[in-house]
Amino acid sequence: MATERNPHAGLPFSDDDATIAAALEDVCVPALMCSMVHMTGDPSWIRGEIRPRVAILNNYESGLTAEELAEIRSHAVPVIAQWRDAGCPEPQVPSPELVKELMDFMAAAPVNPAVVPMFADDLHFDGADSGAITWKDEIRADVRNAFHVVVIGCGESGLLTGIRLDQAGIPYTIIEKTDGPGGTWRDNRYPGARVDIGSHFYCYSFEPSDHWSEYFCRQPELRAYFERVMRKYRVDEKCRFNTEVTQATWNEATATWSVEVRTLDGRTDVIEANVVVSGTGALNAPRMPDIAGMEEFNGPSFHSARWPDGLDLAGKRVAQIGAGASGFQISPTIADEVAHLDIYQRTAQWMFPNMNYHREVPEGDVWAMRHLPFYARWFRFLMFYPASGLSIEGSRVDPTWHDPEGRSISQASFERRTIFENWITSHLEGRPDLVEKSMPHYPPSAKRMLQDNGSWLKCLMKPNVELIKTGIERVTADGVVTDDGEFRAADVIIYATGFRHNDYLFPMTIIGRDGINLREQFGDEPTAYLGISIPNFPNLFCLYGPGTNLAHGASLIFQSECQVNYVMSAIHELLSTGRRAMEPKLEVHDKYVEIYESEINQMVWAHPTVKHSHFKNKDGKIYTLSPWPIPDYWEWTRKVNADEYDFV
Ligand code: NAP
């Protein structure tokens, strides 16, 4: 029987030597060297003097010199040609020892053996999707068919849940309030919207990643990706679009949820579900500011996540209120089109210099990702490893560190700060006024780090752009008045003012056991065990729930793969034991929250110099972010521990 070729073994090709040589000019050489080991089975490719010296995020050459890069490329061409002539045979699966050696090589340091399994799980060396559900046949078909899961939202996590439920043979319905998949990548279609985690990592681990046109792709490409994945796995057949969940109520007698939905045209329905999975995301409900006179404005005004179709900004005076992650992408994109742009920025932002941020993936790199065995997987590793939050220590405030102005939290934070300060000052030469306004007064990473290839700072220097730090007193019919009484005319106002991050599952009403309302239980301090399951709310599982946003590593798609894995394990637990419902034991949840609060309060995000941050609630406490090392969370979410749950 013919066996399927490992999907990462590279598509066989017949391109000539010149094509190969040209392609190699564009590749990431450390990833190429790993690919050569797979191709040839010869580890000497990574055992020589030429090896990565640093693994810094978004540095694809890892410190190799131009001569070294050229030497590897020229050695590789004839070997690849030979492999081509042999018909591109499928490489052997590398031994665990070799995998570790390859990882050490790419990481430019010995990788802790304890975390190797997490990376190996993500890289799929045997070609198999490590998260695929393989237990379908363990559960009787009539048991599976009598079960129904409602998934709220068809963003990246809801779509993933659908794929896994399908593999498990479990009936499900996805309720999605918009007209298609993609979630935040559907809603946020403002000019300049793009991902700021490398695209080759910010995608499902089990889907090919050779197609991204930019290293940090733009929103339309990501949206199209989710549409393609949805159709490939036929998840669309289980979706009810233009429909939103208004309420879900737990029925003790039947151990089911009654999920009330409403379509765009106002029709309502109730769906019974054994399990509800919330994939609504945490950055889903726009937060409009409360500024006097907003409703009096005569021109178009809207939240950044509600960008009007066909809006023409040419020749307009635009006021952009807010300059966080969204505003930071909007301003440089529209600045040349508008007559004038006023950016109202309450708090300056730290940015991470990243010259690959707007870079297209060159043809040769695409070729290598498509054809060279495991090249794309090692490139993924290079995105993942330096950003993997292996240790949380870089984010922890060093209690012995002395910085009277509170602008750094440790020696490393101080050093990072210096690099970031230089980035800002070097781009704003001759404009001390802008340097003064753009220099944050809090430690790096205390708010979400932004990516910059210079475009933000160049935008500030443009003659038609003004950065305003004075507070806003009111909005009028035709402009904005700041606290100093100055009026600036505006034809359009963009509110890039962020989301209700702390209000999980807003605005739905969720009624759990004994009539308990989730919003009341959460109050301003939402908590869930592992950010996933909630006492008093049996069979309700959250993806990207309380305390799981990532500010220190990995990506939310990786995080979703962990969480969906856990949810599927919970469903397996129910189906395989015949128990109808489960919720985390109160003492397990409470202990978890106790440690969570103690940890998160020691982290840079809780720093008192940060006055405003969507990570914090109104009392300045954090219930949004994860304080856990990424490998720990990966380990905790591999399988449900039944001892931690009460069952019905
Ligand atoms: P955000 O980071 O919360 O930024 C909101 C901006 O609005 C900040 O500048 C904030 O000032 C300002 N603001 C809020 N209320 C205000 C008020 N009443 N008056 C004046 N200014 C006000 O929101 P966001 O930019 O939409 O980003 C939210 C999150 O979405 C990000 O952290 C990120 O997780 C995600 N995101 C990701 C990407 C990406 O991956 N490329 C892009 C966009 C968003 P303060 O700083 O003073 O609060």
Side-chain angles (χ1 to χ4, degrees):
M1 197 177 75
T3 52
E4 257 177 53
R5 186 175 171 89
N6 184 321
H8 310 301
L11 281 180
F13 61 93
S14 55
D15 302 278
D16 62 16
D17 293 15
T19 306
I20 299 171
L24 295 199
E25 290 304 311
D26 293 335
V27 301
C28 161
V29 167
L32 170 69
M33 293 166 83
C34 292
S35 174
M36 298 309 291
V37 174
H38 286 270
M39 188 185 294
T40 60
D42 175 8
S44 68
W45 281 94
I46 57 162
R47 287 183 181 163
E49 291 293 306
I50 303 180
R51 48 193 308 116
R53 297 188 181 87
V54 286
I56 302 177
L57 194 55
N58 305 321
N59 174 344
Y60 305 156
E61 288 165 359
S62 305
L64 298 185
T65 65
E67 292 72 32
E68 290 172 329
L69 297 173
E71 188 179 329
I72 296 297
R73 287 180 172 123
S74 70
H75 280 170
V77 175
V79 181
I80 296 172
Q82 216 178 352
W83 185 65
R84 171 203 60 204
D85 295 342
C88 305
E90 186 173 336
Q92 301 277 314
V93 177
S95 68
E97 294 73 29
L98 186 54
V99 165
K100 168 79 167 75
E101 194 179 343
L102 287 156
M103 283 185 193
D104 292 351
F105 173 82
M106 284 301 273
V111 174
N112 180 348
V115 304
V116 168
M118 176 183 80
F119 292 113
D121 202 56
D122 185 68
L123 292 177
H124 303 171
F125 291 109
D126 59 1
D129 166 11
S130 52
I133 304 301
T134 51
W135 45 258
K136 175 179 171 182
D137 294 334
E138 271 178 42
I139 313 290
R140 280 199 342 251
D142 59 322
V143 173
R144 281 191 276 108
N145 290 336
F147 204 79
H148 193 86
V149 178
V150 163
V151 181
I152 311 175
C154 195
E156 56 88 6
S157 65
L159 176 55
L160 175 64
T161 311
I163 292 170
R164 298 309 189 205
L165 286 167
D166 212 57
Q167 289 168 343
I170 294 173
Y172 68 96
T173 308
I174 299 184
I175 308 295
E176 167 54 52
K177 71 176 168 14
T178 71
D179 58 356
T184 196
W185 294 109
R186 196 170 189 88
D187 289 349
N188 286 276
R189 51 185 192 275
Y190 58 75
R194 73 169 71 227
V195 66
D196 60 8
I197 306 276
S199 287
H200 298 87
F201 178 47
Y202 192 83
C203 52
Y204 299 120
S205 64
F206 53 89
E207 275 294 301
S209 61
D210 57 14
H211 49 81
W212 298 113
S213 67
E214 292 176 90
Y215 289 107
F216 294 80
C217 79
R218 282 179 265 187
Q219 175 265 345
E221 193 169 347
L222 206 44
R223 174 179 158 161
Y225 169 77
F226 290 118
E227 279 170 2
R228 213 165 52 238
V229 172
M230 177 183 75
R231 280 193 299 274
K232 174 174 170 182
Y233 292 89
R234 302 174 63 165
V235 173
D236 46 334
E237 293 169 13
K238 309 286 174 54
C239 286
R240 284 172 69 168
F241 292 117
N242 295 316
T243 305
E244 66 176 324
V245 172
T246 51
Q247 177 155 337
T249 309
W250 177 252
N251 308 309
E252 199 71 43
T254 53
T256 53
W257 285 96
S258 295
V259 182
E260 296 173 35
V261 302
R262 186 177 53 215
T263 58
L264 259 190
D265 55 12
R267 281 174 294 127
T268 58
D269 194 3
V270 179
I271 307 170
E272 292 300 314
N274 301 85
V275 159
V276 172
V277 180
S278 162
T280 57
L283 297 165
N284 154 290
R287 181 185 292 286
M288 289 295 274
D290 184 15
I291 302 173
M294 281 167 59
E295 62 297 336
E296 286 164 26
F297 186 67
N298 274 336
S301 68
F302 47 87
H303 187 270
S304 52
R306 300 287 180 269
W307 198 272
D309 285 334
L311 179 74
D312 183 8
L313 291 179
K316 299 277 183 355
R317 292 186 63 94
V318 176
Q320 180 190 303
I321 298 178
S326 304
F328 215 70
Q329 295 181 326
I330 295 170
S331 310
T333 316
I334 64 171
D336 289 336
E337 185 188 347
V338 303
H340 185 85
L341 174 63
D342 286 325
I343 305 171
Y344 294 86
Q345 186 184 44
R346 192 165 58 181
T347 312
Q349 297 275 4
W350 284 116
M351 61 209 87
F352 194 93
N354 177 1
M355 294 321 287
N356 291 311
Y357 191 36
H358 290 181
R359 215 180 122 206
E360 281 181 17
V361 182
E363 237 176 77
D365 209 12
V366 173
W367 183 92
M369 293 198 191
R370 202 152 286 163
H371 296 296
L372 299 184
F374 285 89
Y375 171 81
R377 302 312 281 175
W378 286 110
F379 189 69
R380 180 180 171 92
F381 179 80
L382 198 61
M383 309 287 95
F384 186 10
Y385 179 81
S388 55
L390 293 179
S391 155
I392 201 75
E393 297 316 307
S395 303
R396 196 184 300 277
V397 177
D398 174 354
T400 66
W401 180 251
H402 185 61
D403 180 343
E405 293 183 331
R407 296 185 182 195
S408 56
I409 56 157
S410 62
Q411 177 69 34
S413 155
F414 176 76
E415 285 163 15
R416 263 200 307 274
R417 180 184 177 102
T418 309
I419 296 170
F420 299 156
E421 278 177 354
N422 289 342
W423 177 258
I424 294 173
T425 48
S426 66
H427 279 83
L428 300 178
E429 229 168 273
R431 291 291 306 271
D433 59 320
L434 278 180
V435 173
E436 163 69 22
K437 288 178 184 171
S438 302
M439 200 60 78
H441 297 290
Y442 54 88
S445 305
K447 287 166 76 97
R448 188 174 185 277
M449 286 299 297
L450 305 176
Q451 305 280 322
D452 185 44
N453 57 354
S455 60
W456 167 259
L457 295 166
K458 278 186 205 136
C459 167
L460 299 184
M461 298 281 274
K462 288 182 192 282
N464 66 333
V465 175
E466 188 181 355
L467 180 66
I468 300 145
K469 296 303 288 279
T470 314
I472 298 172
E473 194 223 284
R474 66 179 192 282
V475 171
T476 67
D478 52 358
V480 176
V481 180
T482 41
D483 287 340
D484 53 6
E486 193 164 337
F487 168 78
R488 288 177 181 83
D491 305 312
V492 176
I493 300 181
I494 301 163
Y495 292 100
T497 44
F499 299 87
R500 306 176 67 121
H501 195 169
N502 206 52
D503 299 334
Y504 288 89
L505 283 79
F506 179 87
M508 293 175 285
T509 302
I510 311 285
I511 307 293
R513 234 174 1 89
D514 305 324
I516 296 170
N517 185 317
L518 184 66
R519 193 135 325 278
E520 282 163 20
Q521 176 164 317
F522 274 173
D524 216 24
E525 300 184 354
T527 57
Y529 179 53
L530 297 175
I532 299 175
S533 54
I534 310 164
N536 300 321
F537 293 84
N539 292 7
L540 171 67
F541 300 100
C542 297
L543 307 172
Y544 197 0
T548 64
N549 193 1
L550 297 172
H552 65 297
S555 84
L556 284 171
I557 296 190
F558 175 81
Q559 185 87 329
S560 294
E561 291 197 17
C562 294
Q563 293 169 346
V564 172
N565 191 54
Y566 186 85
V567 173
M568 293 306 296
S569 160
I571 291 174
H572 178 257
E573 188 66 33
L574 289 173
L575 292 177
S576 61
T577 60
R579 291 181 287 194
R580 297 195 301 168
M582 60 193 284
E583 66 176 89
K585 289 183 172 152
L586 193 58
E587 63 271 22
V588 170
H589 166 270
D590 289 355
K591 183 77 196 158
Y592 173 84
V593 172
E594 189 187 322
I595 303 171
Y596 172 88
E597 288 176 339
S598 155
E599 283 296 296
I600 202 79
N601 288 330
Q602 297 175 46
M603 300 300 162
V604 63
W605 314 298
H607 204 270
T609 51
V610 176
K611 297 280 176 286
H612 305 283
S613 151
H614 69 88
F615 297 153
K616 292 183 172 178
N617 70 9
K618 62 177 169 17
D619 303 321
K621 291 165 130 186
I622 299 183
Y623 289 93
T624 51
L625 290 175
S626 164
W628 314 122
I630 304 297
D632 289 7
Y633 193 73
W634 173 79
E635 189 68 51
W636 300 339
T637 50
R638 298 203 80 193
K639 192 172 182 317
V640 158
N641 176 356
D643 295 342
E644 295 179 333
Y645 281 81
D646 287 327
F647 288 87
V648 175

